[in-house]
Amino acid sequence: MFVSDSMQTREPAPSKESTSGAANMSDSPRPSPFESRNGAMEEPYVFEPSKDILQLSQAGGLSMVIQTFLATLFTALVLVMPLALIYVFVLVSWARIPIVGYMAFCFVDPALDNGVGRRIQWVRALSIWKYINAYFPVRIVLEKRLDPTNSYLFGVSPHGILCYSGQVVMGSLRSGMDEALKGIIVHPAGLRHALTVPIFRDYLLAIGTISSSRTSIRKCLARGNGHSVGIVIGGAKESLYTNRGSRQLILKNRKGFVREAIMAGAHLVPTFVFGENDIFWQVEHPLLRRLQRWMQSKMMFALPVFYGRFGLIPRRTQLTAVFGSPLLVVKNPNPTHDEINRVHAQYLVELRRIYARFKPIYDPEGDDLVIA
């Protein structure tokens, strides 16, 4: 695995309170003291970026240019990959029949609903991730160590514009998440539509993405032995509320993930990724927003109009993924509405709690959390 020696098996040791600045990051996992609700000092496990990622992130010159170029290309993958296929289709006559066959396969591929995708470890370990993770250094914070013999449903917020948490945090071996959640295999869940986009879908499947359909999630959680799902609950609708400093989530009526967790007996882990909403700015206008909402209701995905530095260059941003204490769920194949509502209410309480607890450390300038 592409993790530093300091992130292998050593238990974290007590340290001073972490800061959000890159200059104060170290390469070893360590706990940071936070005030708990009862006044006692708790010790979350904090996995800072590895030493080589941190050094690369602070480098200038050619290294910085390469990082910026790759991060910008990474942002445009969903457009670049299909366009490259169209380019080959137009210019290379002998490739047209195979391409048509491949495009048909994209819609019937068994990996779409098999519950595990087509996870390829060497893709998750490619050298390019070193530069992507240097541009978006990932810090992992665990309130509790998770038992790898259980399955979990990680409710991830916020969605952001392009959901970097599903790719940079969960998809890359260089993020350190695999080491922090040792023995737990987290499959990011994505829209089935996205998993049919030529070439781009192969990339998503390779980093472990599964369809967010009920069938796929149930198959994944039924495997047990650490197989878990990471689902960005707010979805496409939430992306329309993404902007720098904004912390608005679409969660009040999103209860399907709770139902699936109860049916599978998978413990719920509230997860908040600080920095996700600060990568881009979004253009906001009443008429544009009305059109976007209409398109989202018809096509099941949103089209936010966004920009970064000098156009589409994303802002260099640290991503801090906080995994809260798991809500222990009792398996019930036929949960009642009251049971779903009760667990959902507990989940929202826990999400608000971890946001209030970690915001002063990792997001002091962010807005208050709003759950709609």
Side-chain angles (χ1 to χ4, degrees), residues 151-293:
S151 290
Y152 300 89
L153 198 156
F154 297 88
V156 183
S157 298
H159 183 282
I161 295 290
L162 296 175
C163 197
Y164 282 88
S165 58
Q167 302 175 72
V168 179
V169 178
M170 298 182 190
S172 167
L173 282 179
R174 299 306 301 261
S175 72
M177 189 198 73
D178 283 41
E179 184 63 28
L181 302 178
K182 204 172 189 68
I184 298 172
I185 304 172
V186 182
H187 298 274
L191 283 176
R192 201 176 193 280
H193 302 312
L195 295 178
T196 60
V197 178
I199 303 183
F200 181 66
R201 45 95 61 187
D202 295 295
Y203 152 71
L204 291 179
L205 291 171
I207 63 174
T209 306
I210 64 173
S211 168
S212 57
S213 68
R214 295 179 184 181
T215 300
S216 186
I217 290 175
R218 290 173 185 177
K219 286 182 178 179
C220 179
L221 296 178
R223 289 174 172 265
N225 298 320
H227 280 278
S228 303
V229 176
I231 183 167
V232 184
I233 306 166
K237 186 175 181 180
E238 191 173 274
S239 69
L240 297 178
Y241 295 92
T242 297
N243 224 327
R244 288 200 63 199
S246 172
R247 304 296 179 258
Q248 182 169 340
L249 307 179
I250 306 298
L251 288 179
K252 276 188 178 179
N253 297 316
R254 300 293 175 103
K255 301 178 182 179
F257 73 102
V258 174
R259 180 195 61 241
E260 297 306 321
I262 296 174
M263 291 178 65
H267 302 323
L268 277 168
V269 181
T271 306
F272 196 94
V273 182
F274 292 99
E276 177 72 60
N277 277 8
D278 297 328
I279 297 174
F280 293 106
W281 291 270
Q282 183 168 181
V283 177
E284 296 182 351
H285 188 278
L287 293 178
L288 176 61
R289 181 54 51 85
R290 183 179 300 177
L291 175 62
Q292 289 171 325
R293 287 174 177 168

Side-chain angles (χ1 to χ4, degrees), residues 103-115:
M103 293 179 69
F105 175 74
C106 290
F107 291 88
V108 297
D109 185 355
L112 293 178
D113 291 308
N114 66 3

Side-chain angles (χ1 to χ4, degrees), residues 268-334:
L268 277 168
V269 181
T271 306
F272 196 94
V273 182
F274 292 99
E276 177 72 60
N277 277 8
D278 297 328
I279 297 174
F280 293 106
W281 291 270
Q282 183 168 181
V283 177
E284 296 182 351
H285 188 278
L287 293 178
L288 176 61
R289 181 54 51 85
R290 183 179 300 177
L291 175 62
Q292 289 171 325
R293 287 174 177 168
W294 178 84
M295 295 178 68
Q296 189 267 326
S297 67
K298 300 298 182 182
M299 299 188 298
M300 302 300 293
F301 63 89
L303 292 174
V305 179
F306 61 94
Y307 61 98
R309 298 185 300 121
F310 310 108
L312 288 180
I313 299 177
R315 293 182 66 253
R316 184 183 292 268
T317 306
Q318 177 155 33
L319 301 176
T320 298
V322 176
F323 296 85
S325 299
L327 288 173
L328 304 184
V329 175
V330 178
K331 184 175 181 178
N332 181 359
N334 298 294

